[in-house]
mmCIF file of all heavy atoms in Angstrom:
data_model
loop_
_atom_site.group_PDB
_atom_site.id
_atom_site.type_symbol
_atom_site.label_atom_id
_atom_site.label_comp_id
_atom_site.label_asym_id
_atom_site.label_seq_id
_atom_site.Cartn_x
_atom_site.Cartn_y
_atom_site.Cartn_z
ATOM 1 N N LYS A 52 -8.324 6.246 7.082
ATOM 2 C CA LYS A 52 -7.055 6.871 6.696
ATOM 3 C C LYS A 52 -6.592 6.310 5.338
ATOM 4 O O LYS A 52 -6.106 7.060 4.477
ATOM 5 C CB LYS A 52 -5.993 6.612 7.779
ATOM 6 C CG LYS A 52 -4.678 7.314 7.546
ATOM 7 C CD LYS A 52 -4.792 8.828 7.734
ATOM 8 C CE LYS A 52 -3.508 9.541 7.353
ATOM 9 N NZ LYS A 52 -3.660 11.004 7.326
ATOM 10 N N ALA A 53 -6.765 5.009 5.162
ATOM 11 C CA ALA A 53 -6.388 4.385 3.881
ATOM 12 C C ALA A 53 -7.237 4.974 2.752
ATOM 13 O O ALA A 53 -6.750 5.216 1.638
ATOM 14 C CB ALA A 53 -6.564 2.870 3.955
ATOM 15 N N TYR A 54 -8.490 5.212 3.052
ATOM 16 C CA TYR A 54 -9.398 5.813 2.059
ATOM 17 C C TYR A 54 -8.894 7.213 1.690
ATOM 18 O O TYR A 54 -8.788 7.580 0.521
ATOM 19 C CB TYR A 54 -10.812 5.881 2.645
ATOM 20 C CG TYR A 54 -11.848 6.416 1.674
ATOM 21 C CD1 TYR A 54 -12.649 5.543 0.936
ATOM 22 C CD2 TYR A 54 -12.031 7.785 1.485
ATOM 23 C CE1 TYR A 54 -13.592 6.016 0.040
ATOM 24 C CE2 TYR A 54 -12.963 8.268 0.592
ATOM 25 C CZ TYR A 54 -13.747 7.382 -0.127
ATOM 26 O OH TYR A 54 -14.670 7.863 -1.027
ATOM 27 N N GLU A 55 -8.565 7.973 2.743
ATOM 28 C CA GLU A 55 -8.100 9.359 2.535
ATOM 29 C C GLU A 55 -6.834 9.387 1.676
ATOM 30 O O GLU A 55 -6.660 10.274 0.831
ATOM 31 C CB GLU A 55 -7.824 9.949 3.923
ATOM 32 C CG GLU A 55 -7.524 11.422 3.977
ATOM 33 C CD GLU A 55 -7.198 11.792 5.428
ATOM 34 O OE1 GLU A 55 -7.958 11.435 6.349
ATOM 35 O OE2 GLU A 55 -6.142 12.424 5.625
ATOM 36 N N LEU A 56 -5.966 8.404 1.876
ATOM 37 C CA LEU A 56 -4.709 8.360 1.114
ATOM 38 C C LEU A 56 -4.898 7.825 -0.307
ATOM 39 O O LEU A 56 -3.973 7.843 -1.110
ATOM 40 C CB LEU A 56 -3.679 7.491 1.846
ATOM 41 C CG LEU A 56 -3.121 8.072 3.143
ATOM 42 C CD1 LEU A 56 -2.267 7.039 3.864
ATOM 43 C CD2 LEU A 56 -2.298 9.323 2.857
ATOM 44 N N GLY A 57 -6.083 7.322 -0.589
ATOM 45 C CA GLY A 57 -6.316 6.767 -1.928
ATOM 46 C C GLY A 57 -5.944 5.300 -2.034
ATOM 47 O O GLY A 57 -5.940 4.731 -3.121
ATOM 48 N N VAL A 58 -5.615 4.679 -0.897
ATOM 49 C CA VAL A 58 -5.184 3.285 -0.927
ATOM 50 C C VAL A 58 -6.383 2.332 -1.072
ATOM 51 O O VAL A 58 -6.283 1.278 -1.689
ATOM 52 C CB VAL A 58 -4.375 2.948 0.356
ATOM 53 C CG1 VAL A 58 -4.013 1.477 0.421
ATOM 54 C CG2 VAL A 58 -3.103 3.796 0.404
ATOM 55 N N ALA A 59 -7.536 2.733 -0.523
ATOM 56 C CA ALA A 59 -8.693 1.824 -0.509
ATOM 57 C C ALA A 59 -9.258 1.579 -1.908
ATOM 58 O O ALA A 59 -9.826 0.529 -2.181
ATOM 59 C CB ALA A 59 -9.773 2.366 0.425
ATOM 60 N N PHE A 60 -9.126 2.572 -2.786
ATOM 61 C CA PHE A 60 -9.634 2.409 -4.161
ATOM 62 C C PHE A 60 -8.562 2.819 -5.172
ATOM 63 O O PHE A 60 -8.847 3.454 -6.182
ATOM 64 C CB PHE A 60 -10.937 3.204 -4.346
ATOM 65 C CG PHE A 60 -12.077 2.634 -3.550
ATOM 66 C CD1 PHE A 60 -12.414 3.158 -2.313
ATOM 67 C CD2 PHE A 60 -12.767 1.524 -4.014
ATOM 68 C CE1 PHE A 60 -13.436 2.597 -1.555
ATOM 69 C CE2 PHE A 60 -13.800 0.956 -3.268
ATOM 70 C CZ PHE A 60 -14.133 1.496 -2.032
ATOM 71 N N SER A 61 -7.340 2.428 -4.879
ATOM 72 C CA SER A 61 -6.189 2.833 -5.697
ATOM 73 C C SER A 61 -6.312 2.372 -7.146
ATOM 74 O O SER A 61 -5.776 2.993 -8.057
ATOM 75 C CB SER A 61 -4.912 2.253 -5.097
ATOM 76 O OG SER A 61 -4.988 0.839 -5.090
ATOM 77 N N PHE A 62 -7.040 1.271 -7.361
ATOM 78 C CA PHE A 62 -7.097 0.626 -8.676
ATOM 79 C C PHE A 62 -8.079 1.308 -9.627
ATOM 80 O O PHE A 62 -8.112 0.966 -10.812
ATOM 81 C CB PHE A 62 -7.516 -0.839 -8.484
ATOM 82 C CG PHE A 62 -8.757 -0.953 -7.632
ATOM 83 C CD1 PHE A 62 -10.011 -0.800 -8.183
ATOM 84 C CD2 PHE A 62 -8.650 -1.137 -6.261
ATOM 85 C CE1 PHE A 62 -11.147 -0.840 -7.386
ATOM 86 C CE2 PHE A 62 -9.781 -1.174 -5.453
ATOM 87 C CZ PHE A 62 -11.030 -1.024 -6.012
ATOM 88 N N ILE A 63 -8.904 2.207 -9.138
ATOM 89 C CA ILE A 63 -9.891 2.844 -10.036
ATOM 90 C C ILE A 63 -9.141 3.758 -11.007
ATOM 91 O O ILE A 63 -8.347 4.605 -10.600
ATOM 92 C CB ILE A 63 -10.953 3.625 -9.229
ATOM 93 C CG1 ILE A 63 -11.772 2.645 -8.382
ATOM 94 C CG2 ILE A 63 -11.875 4.416 -10.172
ATOM 95 C CD1 ILE A 63 -12.906 3.259 -7.596
ATOM 96 N N PRO A 64 -9.388 3.569 -12.315
ATOM 97 C CA PRO A 64 -8.615 4.319 -13.311
ATOM 98 C C PRO A 64 -8.819 5.834 -13.186
ATOM 99 O O PRO A 64 -9.863 6.302 -12.713
ATOM 100 C CB PRO A 64 -9.179 3.825 -14.650
ATOM 101 C CG PRO A 64 -9.833 2.524 -14.345
ATOM 102 C CD PRO A 64 -10.322 2.622 -12.928
ATOM 103 N N LYS A 65 -7.825 6.551 -13.650
ATOM 104 C CA LYS A 65 -7.856 8.020 -13.591
ATOM 105 C C LYS A 65 -9.074 8.581 -14.311
ATOM 106 O O LYS A 65 -9.649 9.588 -13.893
ATOM 107 C CB LYS A 65 -6.580 8.585 -14.213
ATOM 108 C CG LYS A 65 -5.452 8.740 -13.201
ATOM 109 C CD LYS A 65 -4.353 9.632 -13.762
ATOM 110 C CE LYS A 65 -3.251 9.871 -12.743
ATOM 111 N NZ LYS A 65 -3.667 10.529 -11.521
ATOM 112 N N GLN A 66 -9.470 7.931 -15.422
ATOM 113 C CA GLN A 66 -10.578 8.493 -16.198
ATOM 114 C C GLN A 66 -11.897 8.497 -15.424
ATOM 115 O O GLN A 66 -12.821 9.211 -15.777
ATOM 116 C CB GLN A 66 -10.744 7.739 -17.523
ATOM 117 C CG GLN A 66 -11.180 6.307 -17.350
ATOM 118 C CD GLN A 66 -11.113 5.521 -18.640
ATOM 119 O OE1 GLN A 66 -10.192 4.729 -18.848
ATOM 120 N NE2 GLN A 66 -12.066 5.757 -19.517
ATOM 121 N N TYR A 67 -11.968 7.705 -14.352
ATOM 122 C CA TYR A 67 -13.164 7.741 -13.496
ATOM 123 C C TYR A 67 -12.875 8.454 -12.170
ATOM 124 O O TYR A 67 -13.643 8.331 -11.216
ATOM 125 C CB TYR A 67 -13.682 6.317 -13.264
ATOM 126 C CG TYR A 67 -14.029 5.638 -14.568
ATOM 127 C CD1 TYR A 67 -13.217 4.649 -15.091
ATOM 128 C CD2 TYR A 67 -15.134 6.049 -15.306
ATOM 129 C CE1 TYR A 67 -13.510 4.056 -16.317
ATOM 130 C CE2 TYR A 67 -15.427 5.475 -16.529
ATOM 131 C CZ TYR A 67 -14.610 4.487 -17.027
ATOM 132 O OH TYR A 67 -14.902 3.921 -18.246
ATOM 133 N N GLY A 68 -11.752 9.151 -12.122
ATOM 134 C CA GLY A 68 -11.436 9.959 -10.946
ATOM 135 C C GLY A 68 -10.593 9.264 -9.903
ATOM 136 O O GLY A 68 -10.338 9.810 -8.833
ATOM 137 N N GLY A 69 -10.168 8.034 -10.166
ATOM 138 C CA GLY A 69 -9.362 7.299 -9.186
ATOM 139 C C GLY A 69 -7.879 7.575 -9.340
ATOM 140 O O GLY A 69 -7.464 8.264 -10.278
ATOM 141 N N PRO A 70 -7.058 7.025 -8.427
ATOM 142 C CA PRO A 70 -5.613 7.237 -8.528
ATOM 143 C C PRO A 70 -4.995 6.549 -9.747
ATOM 144 O O PRO A 70 -3.934 6.938 -10.208
ATOM 145 C CB PRO A 70 -5.080 6.617 -7.241
ATOM 146 C CG PRO A 70 -6.242 6.564 -6.307
ATOM 147 C CD PRO A 70 -7.440 6.341 -7.184
ATOM 148 N N GLY A 71 -5.632 5.485 -10.243
ATOM 149 C CA GLY A 71 -5.107 4.820 -11.444
ATOM 150 C C GLY A 71 -3.845 4.020 -11.188
ATOM 151 O O GLY A 71 -2.943 3.983 -12.030
ATOM 152 N N ALA A 72 -3.768 3.365 -10.027
ATOM 153 C CA ALA A 72 -2.583 2.549 -9.727
ATOM 154 C C ALA A 72 -2.522 1.366 -10.691
ATOM 155 O O ALA A 72 -3.538 0.754 -11.006
ATOM 156 C CB ALA A 72 -2.651 2.044 -8.286
ATOM 157 N N SER A 73 -1.321 1.044 -11.142
ATOM 158 C CA SER A 73 -1.133 -0.127 -11.997
ATOM 159 C C SER A 73 -1.109 -1.378 -11.124
ATOM 160 O O SER A 73 -1.075 -1.295 -9.890
ATOM 161 C CB SER A 73 0.193 -0.010 -12.746
ATOM 162 O OG SER A 73 1.260 -0.129 -11.817
ATOM 163 N N ASN A 74 -1.099 -2.529 -11.763
ATOM 164 C CA ASN A 74 -1.004 -3.770 -10.992
ATOM 165 C C ASN A 74 0.327 -3.866 -10.248
ATOM 166 O O ASN A 74 0.383 -4.387 -9.133
ATOM 167 C CB ASN A 74 -1.200 -4.978 -11.916
ATOM 168 C CG ASN A 74 -2.653 -5.128 -12.321
ATOM 169 O OD1 ASN A 74 -3.518 -5.350 -11.479
ATOM 170 N ND2 ASN A 74 -2.949 -4.965 -13.596
ATOM 171 N N ILE A 75 1.387 -3.359 -10.844
ATOM 172 C CA ILE A 75 2.682 -3.340 -10.149
ATOM 173 C C ILE A 75 2.618 -2.398 -8.935
ATOM 174 O O ILE A 75 3.126 -2.722 -7.856
ATOM 175 C CB ILE A 75 3.814 -2.908 -11.110
ATOM 176 C CG1 ILE A 75 4.151 -4.038 -12.091
ATOM 177 C CG2 ILE A 75 5.064 -2.491 -10.351
ATOM 178 C CD1 ILE A 75 4.977 -5.167 -11.514
ATOM 179 N N ASP A 76 1.987 -1.253 -9.112
ATOM 180 C CA ASP A 76 1.825 -0.342 -7.970
ATOM 181 C C ASP A 76 1.104 -1.053 -6.823
ATOM 182 O O ASP A 76 1.456 -0.907 -5.650
ATOM 183 C CB ASP A 76 1.009 0.894 -8.364
ATOM 184 C CG ASP A 76 1.694 1.749 -9.417
ATOM 185 O OD1 ASP A 76 2.930 1.690 -9.524
ATOM 186 O OD2 ASP A 76 0.983 2.479 -10.144
ATOM 187 N N LEU A 77 0.080 -1.816 -7.190
ATOM 188 C CA LEU A 77 -0.679 -2.556 -6.179
ATOM 189 C C LEU A 77 0.203 -3.564 -5.439
ATOM 190 O O LEU A 77 0.038 -3.782 -4.239
ATOM 191 C CB LEU A 77 -1.805 -3.340 -6.847
ATOM 192 C CG LEU A 77 -3.160 -2.669 -6.993
ATOM 193 C CD1 LEU A 77 -4.127 -3.646 -7.650
ATOM 194 C CD2 LEU A 77 -3.700 -2.258 -5.642
ATOM 195 N N GLN A 78 1.131 -4.167 -6.165
ATOM 196 C CA GLN A 78 2.056 -5.115 -5.535
ATOM 197 C C GLN A 78 2.848 -4.426 -4.431
ATOM 198 O O GLN A 78 2.989 -4.938 -3.331
ATOM 199 C CB GLN A 78 3.057 -5.650 -6.576
ATOM 200 C CG GLN A 78 2.470 -6.572 -7.611
ATOM 201 C CD GLN A 78 2.169 -7.937 -7.032
ATOM 202 O OE1 GLN A 78 3.046 -8.630 -6.550
ATOM 203 N NE2 GLN A 78 0.921 -8.299 -7.036
ATOM 204 N N ILE A 79 3.367 -3.250 -4.774
ATOM 205 C CA ILE A 79 4.238 -2.532 -3.846
ATOM 206 C C ILE A 79 3.459 -2.120 -2.602
ATOM 207 O O ILE A 79 3.917 -2.289 -1.475
ATOM 208 C CB ILE A 79 4.858 -1.325 -4.575
ATOM 209 C CG1 ILE A 79 5.823 -1.854 -5.638
ATOM 210 C CG2 ILE A 79 5.551 -0.384 -3.609
ATOM 211 C CD1 ILE A 79 6.127 -0.870 -6.730
ATOM 212 N N ALA A 80 2.250 -1.607 -2.827
ATOM 213 C CA ALA A 80 1.427 -1.175 -1.696
ATOM 214 C C ALA A 80 0.988 -2.371 -0.850
ATOM 215 O O ALA A 80 1.067 -2.337 0.381
ATOM 216 C CB ALA A 80 0.211 -0.408 -2.205
ATOM 217 N N SER A 81 0.555 -3.432 -1.513
ATOM 218 C CA SER A 81 -0.003 -4.575 -0.774
ATOM 219 C C SER A 81 1.045 -5.249 0.104
ATOM 220 O O SER A 81 0.742 -5.685 1.211
ATOM 221 C CB SER A 81 -0.567 -5.609 -1.748
ATOM 222 O OG SER A 81 -1.550 -5.021 -2.550
ATOM 223 N N GLU A 82 2.269 -5.341 -0.394
ATOM 224 C CA GLU A 82 3.304 -5.995 0.424
ATOM 225 C C GLU A 82 3.499 -5.250 1.742
ATOM 226 O O GLU A 82 3.637 -5.871 2.800
ATOM 227 C CB GLU A 82 4.636 -6.089 -0.336
ATOM 228 C CG GLU A 82 5.690 -6.809 0.500
ATOM 229 C CD GLU A 82 7.038 -6.976 -0.196
ATOM 230 O OE1 GLU A 82 7.076 -7.108 -1.426
ATOM 231 O OE2 GLU A 82 8.050 -6.974 0.532
ATOM 232 N N GLU A 83 3.507 -3.919 1.663
ATOM 233 C CA GLU A 83 3.725 -3.133 2.883
ATOM 234 C C GLU A 83 2.594 -3.341 3.885
ATOM 235 O O GLU A 83 2.832 -3.473 5.083
ATOM 236 C CB GLU A 83 3.859 -1.645 2.534
ATOM 237 C CG GLU A 83 5.056 -1.317 1.664
ATOM 238 C CD GLU A 83 6.370 -1.811 2.245
ATOM 239 O OE1 GLU A 83 6.570 -1.672 3.460
ATOM 240 O OE2 GLU A 83 7.185 -2.360 1.480
ATOM 241 N N ILE A 84 1.365 -3.355 3.398
ATOM 242 C CA ILE A 84 0.211 -3.537 4.290
ATOM 243 C C ILE A 84 0.225 -4.945 4.879
ATOM 244 O O ILE A 84 0.058 -5.133 6.085
ATOM 245 C CB ILE A 84 -1.099 -3.281 3.526
ATOM 246 C CG1 ILE A 84 -1.219 -1.795 3.180
ATOM 247 C CG2 ILE A 84 -2.311 -3.734 4.349
ATOM 248 C CD1 ILE A 84 -2.292 -1.469 2.176
ATOM 249 N N CYS A 85 0.447 -5.932 4.025
ATOM 250 C CA CYS A 85 0.329 -7.319 4.476
ATOM 251 C C CYS A 85 1.500 -7.745 5.351
ATOM 252 O O CYS A 85 1.381 -8.701 6.119
ATOM 253 C CB CYS A 85 0.151 -8.244 3.281
ATOM 254 S SG CYS A 85 -1.417 -7.904 2.440
ATOM 255 N N ALA A 86 2.623 -7.041 5.248
ATOM 256 C CA ALA A 86 3.724 -7.311 6.180
ATOM 257 C C ALA A 86 3.279 -6.962 7.598
ATOM 258 O O ALA A 86 3.801 -7.495 8.570
ATOM 259 C CB ALA A 86 4.964 -6.511 5.792
ATOM 260 N N VAL A 87 2.321 -6.078 7.709
ATOM 261 C CA VAL A 87 1.787 -5.712 9.027
ATOM 262 C C VAL A 87 0.528 -6.518 9.340
ATOM 263 O O VAL A 87 0.398 -7.075 10.430
ATOM 264 C CB VAL A 87 1.509 -4.192 9.092
ATOM 265 C CG1 VAL A 87 0.781 -3.835 10.373
ATOM 266 C CG2 VAL A 87 2.827 -3.428 8.993
ATOM 267 N N ASP A 88 -0.400 -6.603 8.404
ATOM 268 C CA ASP A 88 -1.562 -7.480 8.614
ATOM 269 C C ASP A 88 -2.263 -7.825 7.297
ATOM 270 O O ASP A 88 -2.815 -6.939 6.637
ATOM 271 C CB ASP A 88 -2.582 -6.859 9.561
ATOM 272 C CG ASP A 88 -3.680 -7.863 9.878
ATOM 273 O OD1 ASP A 88 -3.428 -8.749 10.714
ATOM 274 O OD2 ASP A 88 -4.748 -7.819 9.247
ATOM 275 N N PRO A 89 -2.276 -9.099 6.934
ATOM 276 C CA PRO A 89 -2.898 -9.475 5.662
ATOM 277 C C PRO A 89 -4.421 -9.449 5.704
ATOM 278 O O PRO A 89 -5.061 -9.396 4.657
ATOM 279 C CB PRO A 89 -2.386 -10.904 5.428
ATOM 280 C CG PRO A 89 -2.141 -11.436 6.789
ATOM 281 C CD PRO A 89 -1.674 -10.269 7.613
ATOM 282 N N GLY A 90 -5.008 -9.483 6.901
ATOM 283 C CA GLY A 90 -6.463 -9.395 6.991
ATOM 284 C C GLY A 90 -6.939 -8.031 6.521
ATOM 285 O O GLY A 90 -7.876 -7.912 5.720
ATOM 286 N N PHE A 91 -6.263 -6.993 7.004
ATOM 287 C CA PHE A 91 -6.615 -5.634 6.560
ATOM 288 C C PHE A 91 -6.361 -5.510 5.061
ATOM 289 O O PHE A 91 -7.152 -4.900 4.333
ATOM 290 C CB PHE A 91 -5.788 -4.609 7.337
ATOM 291 C CG PHE A 91 -6.209 -3.188 7.084
ATOM 292 C CD1 PHE A 91 -7.321 -2.656 7.705
ATOM 293 C CD2 PHE A 91 -5.484 -2.387 6.207
ATOM 294 C CE1 PHE A 91 -7.715 -1.344 7.462
ATOM 295 C CE2 PHE A 91 -5.869 -1.077 5.957
ATOM 296 C CZ PHE A 91 -6.994 -0.550 6.591
ATOM 297 N N GLY A 92 -5.271 -6.112 4.608
ATOM 298 C CA GLY A 92 -4.982 -6.110 3.170
ATOM 299 C C GLY A 92 -6.116 -6.758 2.390
ATOM 300 O O GLY A 92 -6.492 -6.315 1.305
ATOM 301 N N CYS A 93 -6.691 -7.813 2.970
ATOM 302 C CA CYS A 93 -7.791 -8.532 2.316
ATOM 303 C C CYS A 93 -9.011 -7.614 2.179
ATOM 304 O O CYS A 93 -9.669 -7.590 1.136
ATOM 305 C CB CYS A 93 -8.131 -9.781 3.131
ATOM 306 S SG CYS A 93 -9.470 -10.750 2.450
ATOM 307 N N THR A 94 -9.301 -6.849 3.212
ATOM 308 C CA THR A 94 -10.430 -5.908 3.142
ATOM 309 C C THR A 94 -10.259 -4.976 1.949
ATOM 310 O O THR A 94 -11.202 -4.754 1.173
ATOM 311 C CB THR A 94 -10.503 -5.079 4.452
ATOM 312 O OG1 THR A 94 -10.676 -5.972 5.550
ATOM 313 C CG2 THR A 94 -11.655 -4.089 4.415
#
Side-chain angles (χ1 to χ4, degrees):
Chain A
K52 185 70 186 171
Y54 183 97
E55 188 183 310
L56 290 172
V58 175
F60 292 97
S61 61
F62 51 83
I63 295 183
K65 271 195 177 299
Q66 66 190 103
Y67 301 106
S73 68
N74 286 297
I75 286 283
D76 296 336
L77 269 181
Q78 290 286 300
I79 292 159
S81 302
E82 182 179 328
E83 297 306 318
I84 291 167
C85 295
V87 172
D88 187 78
F91 188 79
C93 180
T94 300

